Amino acid sequence: MPDDEDGTGTQLIERPFENPHANDPVLGPRYADGYKEGAFGDHTLDNNPAGEPGPAEDAFIEGFEDGIVRFGAFKKGFKRGITVGLDGATSDTLGPPAMGAEHAADLSAAWLEGREEGLKVARVVRDGIAEKALESADFDQTSGPIHSMWVGVGRMYWREYQGGRAIFFIHPSGEAFTVDAPIYAEYEEIGGLRSQLGRPISDTTRVPDGRGKVTEFEKGTMYSTATTGAHEVHGLIGAKWKELGGPTGDLGYPTSNEQFERADRGKVNTFEHGDIYFWPNLGVQVVRSIQVRYRGQNCFAESDEASAQDETYVVATAVGPSRDATRSVRSRIFDVDAGGSFPDTMVVYQGPPAGIGALAVTMAEHDTGNPDEYRGQIEAGVRVAMNGLAAAIAATGVGLTVSGIAVALANAGVGPIADAINDAIDSGDDTIGTAVFPLAPKALIGLARSPLQRERDIEFHLATPLLTGEGAYKAYFDVTFG
């Protein structure tokens, strides 16, 4: 384990030490070798195997264990020096604590040496952060203490400044980086140095378009604008986005961090003008827009009403990731006869795959009611049903909301939505039936790429089951890349 990983900061300097076997020509040197390895070497007995069992090797192990104790005293002193030093102290009057009766002088000396080394490192860190603040705009007033964490290339120290900013400093390299708001807040929200991004490797700078800011991290990048907030991109999705022009490409800035696409166990970043997905079996998929359209209806049997023809229409509801994003549209009313085919075209949804989690379809037979009022009642019923399914959606796990909706509806079936619609409607029109299609992003992309099917005069990707409440009908939809 590197010395600095547990807070020592530097190696304990080899100094004279007490050797209880100093007068023995065999045991004395073996004890000394073990002590030097424990106190001043790599502190790992396994890397320096002893010889044949016996008194000599027992002395080596005894020395190693005593050396480790001395090194421990050094580390305790170093941590004391770092603690008081990072708080601004340049010296410390506290004496070494009692650390045992054996080798007491050695242990006290090691603790004092460690404290002095800690104070030196703390001064370097404080000065390094202060110098970076002086050369950086808007880093005028500190707003918190100095924190630290081992990051593989050294120990990373960071301090927060007014306005939600921070300066990061690596010891012993002396590299320092500014991370500005709102990137710093989002970085901390996702785990900071423990996140998938790792440590910062650049200052926050302005994107050349003048609209955004960017900070490079060890394993990814974070961008921010006033309208999108701060979000990260990394891995294969981040590489594809940058290949397409990054923030100045046609996808624009990220509007989410990389999320879990829970319906099909993928990953996704959403952007201002599209999404980028990754599934192991499909690779990286760039989708700027999806369009879901109603394509018409087929009548297989009329209702038993006395009128010569049924007058039917469809209300299609795109279930979005929020209440306000759930919207319904109504088709025109057709005069239909059994065996008739009635093609139509009506856009139900246009936007990114992350904007729709399901399609709810209700067919009605127009009698005396107001079809547009009926549409509003159906939409309200769908929203009530989605509120009732909120716990089931949440139980699918964190990640993309619409894929959680698709999973919950796939498990629940049409029942909750159909029941909520029936409870919500108050119209003179008769409901023929309701169908629900869970539409996770992978399913949408697959449908848009698949060939159209045909039934009678209608081409489609999705067809409802036979709806038989009043007569027998099917409604049809297709999915295209917008």
Side-chain angles (χ1 to χ4, degrees), residues 435-473:
V436 178
F437 300 97
L439 292 176
K442 190 176 182 182
L444 283 166
I445 293 169
L447 287 169
R449 287 183 168 170
S450 65
L452 290 165
Q453 303 176 60
R454 188 178 187 90
E455 189 163 20
R456 295 181 181 170
D457 296 335
I458 300 175
E459 292 184 322
F460 66 95
H461 288 120
L462 290 169
T464 66
L466 197 62
L467 304 175
T468 59
E470 292 286 340
Y473 294 85

Side-chain angles (χ1 to χ4, degrees), residues 51-65:
E52 294 295 325
E57 298 321 312
D58 290 344
F60 179 92
I61 294 171
E62 178 188 356
F64 178 83
E65 291 174 347

Side-chain angles (χ1 to χ4, degrees), residues 146-355:
I146 297 175
H147 310 276
S148 74
M149 179 179 167
W150 172 256
V151 293
V153 294
R155 182 159 285 273
M156 179 74 84
Y157 296 85
W158 70 98
R159 188 166 205 174
E160 296 172 348
Y161 281 74
Q162 88 284 358
R165 304 172 175 89
I167 291 177
F168 289 78
F169 180 90
I170 302 176
H171 184 271
S173 73
E175 294 177 280
F177 306 104
T178 58
V179 180
D180 210 343
I183 290 176
Y184 176 64
E186 182 64 19
Y187 178 56
E188 286 293 289
E189 178 68 21
I190 67 172
L193 291 170
R194 292 182 174 86
S195 73
Q196 70 272 14
L197 294 182
R199 61 185 175 86
I201 58 173
S202 81
D203 294 336
T204 299
T205 58
R206 284 282 178 186
V207 179
D209 66 0
R211 183 183 168 210
K213 298 178 182 179
V214 57
T215 306
E216 296 290 342
F217 293 87
E218 190 178 13
K219 299 175 184 177
T221 313
M222 189 170 285
Y223 292 81
S224 73
T225 72
T227 55
T228 62
H231 302 289
E232 61 84 18
V233 292
H234 69 275
L236 293 174
I237 290 176
K240 185 63 177 180
W241 176 65
K242 290 181 178 180
E243 178 188 319
L244 296 172
T248 57
D250 63 356
L251 289 178
Y253 281 84
T255 56
S256 78
N257 300 326
E258 185 178 283
Q259 301 177 74
F260 178 44
E261 201 288 281
R262 41 191 160 165
D264 296 290
R265 306 194 65 80
K267 299 175 181 178
V268 59
N269 266 94
T270 63
F271 298 88
E272 290 177 292
H273 309 299
D275 304 335
I276 301 181
Y277 293 85
F278 172 79
W279 293 281
N281 63 331
L282 292 184
V284 176
Q285 305 290 315
V286 181
V287 185
R288 290 167 177 80
S289 182
I290 283 282
Q291 187 177 79
V292 180
R293 299 186 300 176
Y294 169 67
R295 295 308 308 273
Q297 58 177 287
N298 282 326
C299 177
F300 295 88
E302 290 184 73
S303 69
D304 57 2
E305 292 186 355
S307 58
Q309 294 174 311
D310 287 346
E311 296 177 305
T312 58
Y313 58 93
V314 167
V315 175
T317 305
V319 181
S322 68
R323 178 182 176 85
D324 291 339
T326 297
R327 299 192 179 278
S328 298
V329 294
R330 176 182 66 81
S331 74
R332 56 181 170 147
I333 299 171
F334 281 98
D335 293 330
V336 300
D337 293 305
S341 188
F342 304 92
D344 197 2
T345 299
M346 175 181 67
V347 175
V348 179
Y349 173 78
Q350 173 82 46

